[in-house]
Amino acid sequence: MILNTGGRTDIVQYYSEWLLNRFKEGFVYSRNPFYPSKVSKYELSPDKIDCVVFCSKNYEPILERLHEITDKYNTYFHYTITAYGKDIEPRVPSIEKSIETLFKLEKIVGKQRIAWRYDPVLLTNKYTIDYHLKTFECMAEKLSKHIDRCIFSFVQIYKKLKTNMPEARALNDEEKNLIAKGLGKIAKKFNIHLQSCAENGDYQKYGIYPSGCMTFEILGKANNIAFKKLKHNGMRKNCNCIEWRDIGAYNTCPNGCRYCYANANPEKAIENYKHHDKNSPILLDKINDTDVILQANQTSFIDRSLNLGLF
């Protein structure tokens, strides 16, 4: 089973101690966001977890104790660093600080396990195409020797985004092509493997690879392990990722990013964060008497007959 710690909230930045406690105790509960009374129990042991995948905008809080996970588990790290300032990402560290932290992370886990996420790409009167390309080039020059790849995607105008960031708008095909062409040119200049994420357009002519963010190829190569040859349908429309399970919760990330799809609004996330218990087996709230706890099916995708480097 692939364990995702960052799809619904930034666990690394705000809930690192809780996460480490869960690995220490060997299990975690995750509430179904669509059927709240149903709770899945996941066993956290190397023989049950094929790979732990992280996604965060700030790894600083977990760096000193990250070895507690990396010493035992296969891992991969998505590090989101965008062009936006506090007007859009209120509680995210500056670009300079984020890059500095990424360098620290690389020394611990190696560049082969780090993907730089430059997403979502959105346009406003301030954040223009030219602004994105200039900022991306400055960042790419610094990060190129410290990452496995760069992943980007264009913003999707969800209903929540229309409410929380009305100035953001959908990009037309001409704008997408101009940005893709520019990003592709910059990536080539700095020898960065650039790929798109769940995009409808085909940007291969700009040197951009169509791929998933979590594929057998990416995770296998990063950890020197072999996965079974299995067909999968992705996690959502136009997605090429393998099946994974998330242990986070929606409406719990205090970052306050205005484009975030995982928060109904920043105030609700901050209020929920206040009720977090680092010793609870579940990220938000507590297990109730009416909850139905089910042992999750933790099928392994690893080909044990071709084991190259499993712990």
Side-chain angles (χ1 to χ4, degrees):
M1 185 191 89
I2 307 300
L3 186 75
N4 186 353
T5 71
R8 298 172 183 166
T9 190
D10 196 333
I11 288 180
V12 168
Q13 182 165 355
Y14 295 101
Y15 305 98
S16 283
E17 191 167 359
W18 171 83
L19 180 67
L20 292 165
N21 284 341
R22 298 326 315 144
F23 274 100
K24 184 177 181 180
E25 292 197 33
F27 75 96
V28 64
Y29 290 148
S30 179
R31 191 178 299 281
N32 188 313
F34 304 106
Y35 303 96
S37 64
K38 294 184 177 180
V39 177
S40 294
K41 179 182 179 181
Y42 298 107
E43 294 182 30
L44 301 180
S45 59
D47 63 314
K48 296 289 186 179
I49 305 297
D50 294 335
C51 187
V52 182
V53 180
F54 298 83
C55 188
S56 177
K57 294 179 179 177
N58 182 13
Y59 280 88
E60 190 67 41
I62 203 173
L63 290 181
E64 288 188 3
R65 297 181 60 192
L66 187 58
H67 67 89
E68 294 177 25
I69 298 176
T70 57
D71 285 351
K72 300 177 181 179
Y73 298 84
N74 298 308
T75 53
Y76 197 79
F77 302 82
H78 292 261
Y79 204 140
T80 302
I81 310 177
T82 69
Y84 311 120
K86 299 296 183 181
D87 55 327
I88 293 183
E89 298 176 339
R91 297 175 190 86
V92 175
S94 66
I95 292 175
E96 293 74 19
K97 179 61 178 177
S98 296
I99 290 175
E100 178 184 322
T101 302
L102 186 145
F103 292 165
K104 295 179 183 178
L105 178 65
E106 187 218 351
K107 290 182 179 180
I108 297 172
V109 305
K111 64 174 289 184
Q112 78 279 2
R113 293 184 185 180
I114 303 176
W116 165 31
R117 296 195 69 103
Y118 187 83
D119 66 343
V121 177
L122 58 83
L123 299 178
T124 67
N125 290 335
K126 175 181 178 180
Y127 298 101
T128 62
I129 293 177
D130 186 57
Y131 188 102
H132 274 289
L133 296 182
K134 286 182 177 179
T135 306
F136 183 82
E137 181 162 15
C138 289
M139 296 164 71
E141 183 176 11
K142 296 176 182 178
L143 293 172
S144 60
K145 296 180 180 179
H146 304 273
I147 57 172
D148 173 53
R149 65 192 60 231
C150 177
I151 302 169
F152 84 98
S153 66
F154 295 114
V155 69
Q156 296 187 42
I157 308 299
Y158 295 102
K159 183 178 180 180
K160 295 177 186 177
L161 190 141
K162 290 182 179 180
T163 301
N164 297 329
M165 193 176 178
E167 69 270 32
R169 58 177 177 79
L171 283 69
N172 59 45
D173 289 340
E174 181 180 359
E175 291 170 329
K176 288 182 178 181
N177 275 283
L178 283 172
I179 293 171
K181 182 178 181 180
L183 296 181
K185 182 178 180 180
I186 294 167
K188 182 178 180 181
K189 177 180 178 181
F190 294 106
N191 195 31
I192 293 176
H193 178 102
L194 181 64
Q195 67 177 71
S196 56
C197 171
E199 289 298 332
N200 290 313
D202 183 357
Y203 307 110
Q204 294 184 72
K205 60 184 176 182
Y206 304 128
I208 298 171
Y209 300 86
S211 182
C213 309
M214 301 182 206
T215 66
F216 289 138
E217 179 184 5
I218 292 173
L219 301 185
K221 183 178 179 181
N223 293 281
N224 194 31
I225 56 177
F227 286 96
K228 300 173 183 176
K229 298 184 182 299
L230 301 173
K231 292 183 179 181
H232 57 87
N233 297 320
M235 294 299 292
R236 56 192 172 98
K237 185 178 180 180
N238 300 316
C239 175
N240 295 313
C241 291
I242 56 180
E243 180 182 335
W244 43 261
R245 294 291 179 265
D246 199 302
I247 59 172
Y250 292 120
N251 297 308
T252 60
C253 183
N255 272 334
C257 299
R258 296 175 61 206
Y259 54 74
C260 181
Y261 70 89
N263 283 343
N265 60 70
E267 291 74 22
K268 184 174 183 179
I270 292 174
E271 184 61 29
N272 284 336
Y273 176 66
K274 294 177 182 178
H275 299 289
H276 166 68
D277 179 0
K278 66 181 181 181
N279 296 310
S280 172
I282 195 166
L283 184 71
L284 184 64
D285 296 325
K286 301 182 182 299
I287 298 299
N288 305 311
D289 293 337
T290 55
D291 288 333
V292 177
I293 300 176
L294 301 173
Q295 177 63 50
N297 179 14
Q298 297 183 244
T299 302
S300 176
F301 299 133
I302 292 178
D303 189 338
R304 308 287 170 175
S305 66
L306 298 175
N307 176 15
L308 302 177
L310 250 178
F311 294 108

